[in-house]
Amino acid sequence: SLCGMADREIKVVVTAQFELCREAAMRKDQAKFDKAFEFIRADSDPPDSAADGLRALSLKSYESYKLMIMSEHSKFISSELNSLKTQISETGTSAVAVYSTRDKFEYKGTLKDDIWGVVATLQKTEGEGWKFVSMHRATEKRTSVSG
């Protein structure tokens, strides 16, 4: 079915993005990290719309996250992708992916074991397949492990 095919394609795209981000974090590769978070902009948004304000806020949040991950004080240990589910639109051209990740890392000598919930919106593009439009990441469970 068309929905089944779209579901598989989206899961491949999300998994590839996750793997790229994990590899970038482990190697402290800023170029790969930026590539993992390349998003498309909706053509229908006027240049000075409220969407630009949201993008600016998201960019600030992304830059803060990137600084922490790339910091000399951060040592990435492991990351896993869990419970990936998708919902495809009736037209088959947009979708939402919901999943969780578990990251283990050391930051300034403190071992962290964080579980994140992620909601991503994707759009099917002409000739390029599924691309990320937006992503929201929220803490589900954050722990510091004393050692």
Side-chain angles (χ1 to χ4, degrees):
S1 81
L2 192 57
C3 261
M5 188 169 74
D7 179 70
R8 286 187 297 280
E9 290 171 353
I10 291 165
K11 286 180 176 175
V12 166
V13 169
V14 169
T15 301
Q17 186 269 351
F18 171 80
E19 294 291 339
L20 187 62
C21 184
R22 177 173 59 186
E23 183 180 336
M26 292 199 140
R27 295 179 185 214
K28 301 225 182 275
D29 185 330
Q30 291 190 30
K32 269 191 181 159
F33 198 78
D34 288 339
K35 182 156 182 55
F37 289 95
E38 284 180 351
F39 288 44
I40 61 172
R41 179 188 168 141
D43 293 334
S44 60
D45 289 343
D48 294 324
S49 69
D52 274 346
L54 289 174
R55 270 190 283 284
L57 183 61
S58 294
L59 184 60
K60 183 177 179 184
S61 176
Y62 164 73
E63 289 296 332
S64 296
Y65 177 62
K66 179 179 161 183
L67 282 173
M68 182 190 74
I69 295 296
M70 296 296 147
S71 164
E72 65 187 38
H73 303 292
S74 180
K75 179 184 174 197
F76 221 72
I77 298 166
S78 67
S79 189
E80 55 192 58
L81 176 64
N82 301 307
S83 68
L84 174 55
K85 297 181 181 1
T86 64
Q87 181 68 47
I88 318 297
S89 69
E90 286 184 29
T91 62
T93 58
S94 61
V96 174
V98 179
Y99 54 98
S100 66
T101 64
R102 182 173 188 174
D103 296 334
K104 292 182 182 180
F105 60 99
E106 212 175 277
Y107 187 69
K108 293 186 175 182
T110 301
L111 184 61
K112 304 283 188 172
D113 185 0
D114 294 352
I115 298 173
W116 301 91
V118 180
V119 178
T121 306
L122 297 96
Q123 180 178 332
K124 188 159 190 164
T125 60
E126 189 84 23
E128 293 186 52
W130 292 95
K131 297 287 184 182
F132 287 94
V133 176
S134 67
M135 182 183 291
H136 176 76
R137 179 177 159 153
T139 306
E140 287 184 12
K141 179 183 171 198
R142 178 175 285 175
T143 57
S144 293
V145 181
S146 300

